[in-house]
Each structure stands twice: as C-alpha cells, then as structure tokens.
Amino acid sequence: MGREAGRLRLVPISDFLPPTSEGAREGNTGEVGGEKMKIETTRFGLLEVPAEKVLTFEEGLPGFEKERLFALVAEKEGGPFYWLQSLDRGDLAFVVADPCHFLPSYEFELPPQEAEKLGLQDAADLAIFAIITVPENPAEMTANLQAPVLINLKNHRGRQVILSEGSYPIRYRILEGLRQLAARSSQGETPKKEELAVLAQRAAG
C-alpha cells in the first residue's frame, strides 16, 4: 500500500487526540466511567480518553501483548511527534511519528491479510507511524521503519506490522534523514533538534 493513498491525515488525527488533563477530575484509574476512560499516567498525570478515541490493538504490540488499549497524545500542537499511551499501564508509552516527516519516500505494500485484520477498506483511512527510540543523546534518535504501527481511523483498530520485504532499517537515524531532506528541499514540516531534546527528556522522565 503506497503512501499516495495512505498518507497520514493530520486533521482527523488532531480530532482523534484526547486532551491531556492537567485539571482533570479525580476518577478510578484504568476504568471506563460513562463515555470516558480514565488512567493515571507517568507522563501526563490523569488522562481522560473519550471512548471514541480509544485505540484497540487486538494482539497488543510485540513484547506487550497484554496491553491492548491505547490513545494517541500530542507532544505539542501541530508537532510531528505523538505518544502512543497505553490505557492498561500508565507507565507505558511509546514515542511515534509519521515517517514521511523525515523520509517522504517511505511506502510499502500492505499484505491483504493485514488489511483484513485492520478492517481496512479505504487506504485513505490508514494512519502510519514509526516507533521512535529516544536515547540519552537525541542526535542518535532512531525510527523503526521495518515495523510500522498502523491505525485504521475509521474503526480505531491498530496493529504493528513487520514488513516482509526488509527494505527499511529497524534503526533509521532521524537526524541524518532530516539533513538529507533539508539538502533536497526546504518544504514540509520537520522536527527540530530542540524538539528531539525535549522528547529525550520526557522519555527519560
């Protein structure tokens, strides 16, 4: 499935995000109350997630098969990075980003069986993310392009898929990609080094 049809659509994703709840009401951690799910998280405090913004990973993520409910939380409004926050474990969250921010040519063919598991009928409903590894030195930040996280915006199902063709690295160096991108074109929004440093600090905390 190419990126022409499956490009990340920022407006629906923005609508899709639950608010971080600085002043959220006290609630039962990890329980669904009414139309919201509340959980005390390590990074965001009490997070209230409307039911329609809960992501379901029916098979979990590799290594975290028991964690099946997640929400996307924006690192900053309009920024390229998100947190994929577990709603089963408040201390579990992954930094993710749209790979096209640092590798515009990123595309792949999605196997029919994977599309079926996602319930995907239209590629325009597919959001594609890469899990970001944030080391102490943000200049060495990498993205896993071999195993993208896919989200069907229509039914809120998610999966992490390991690409069979093996044409992308597990540890793609983001800053190196940004330098190459900047050398070719000045168009498009790309994360700045300062943003990477903030992410490193947040991830360590």
Side-chain angles (χ1 to χ4, degrees):
M1 181 169 295
R3 294 291 291 180
E4 295 174 359
R7 190 182 304 278
L8 173 64
R9 301 182 302 166
L10 293 178
V11 173
I13 282 290
S14 177
D15 293 343
F16 199 66
L17 301 175
T20 53
S21 50
E22 249 176 32
R25 298 187 306 276
E26 292 298 326
N28 294 325
T29 299
E31 295 184 2
V32 176
E35 296 183 353
K36 290 186 178 180
M37 185 171 186
K38 300 179 182 180
I39 184 168
E40 190 68 37
T41 67
T42 301
R43 293 168 180 83
F44 307 106
L46 182 62
L47 193 64
E48 294 187 352
V49 182
E52 67 272 14
K53 295 183 178 181
V54 173
L55 303 173
T56 301
F57 286 70
E58 294 179 352
E59 298 179 14
L61 294 171
F64 301 93
E65 287 79 6
K66 293 183 179 180
E67 279 64 60
R68 301 186 177 183
L69 300 180
F70 290 83
L72 278 173
V73 181
E75 174 62 26
K76 80 172 199 177
E77 188 174 352
F81 294 103
Y82 300 90
W83 289 87
L84 185 62
Q85 171 66 55
S86 169
L87 300 180
D88 298 304
R89 281 180 49 184
D91 63 338
L92 181 64
F94 303 92
V95 179
V96 297
D98 175 9
C100 278
H101 280 296
F102 44 82
L103 186 63
S105 61
Y106 184 72
E107 61 179 23
F108 55 86
E109 293 298 323
L110 183 64
Q113 64 270 24
E114 295 294 348
E116 183 177 351
K117 290 177 181 179
L118 283 166
L120 187 69
Q121 298 180 348
D122 187 343
D125 295 323
L126 183 67
I128 302 174
F129 296 95
I131 291 182
I132 309 298
T133 298
V134 187
E136 290 185 9
N137 180 2
E140 297 178 359
M141 184 179 294
T142 61
N144 184 348
L145 300 184
Q146 180 60 24
V149 173
L150 310 181
I151 295 173
N152 184 339
L153 298 175
K154 209 79 167 178
N155 60 17
H156 303 177
R157 290 186 199 169
R159 291 182 61 77
Q160 186 174 15
V161 175
I162 299 176
L163 303 181
S164 58
E165 58 262 34
S167 56
Y168 292 107
I170 295 176
R171 298 179 181 86
Y172 178 84
R173 290 186 174 272
I174 293 177
L175 282 184
E176 182 178 329
L178 290 176
R179 292 189 190 100
Q180 294 174 2
L181 179 60
R184 291 193 302 267
S185 172
S186 60
Q187 295 181 352
E189 184 179 338
T190 55
K192 299 179 176 59
K193 189 173 181 179
E194 293 78 10
E195 292 177 341
L196 301 182
V198 168
L199 274 176
Q201 184 178 8
R202 291 288 298 277

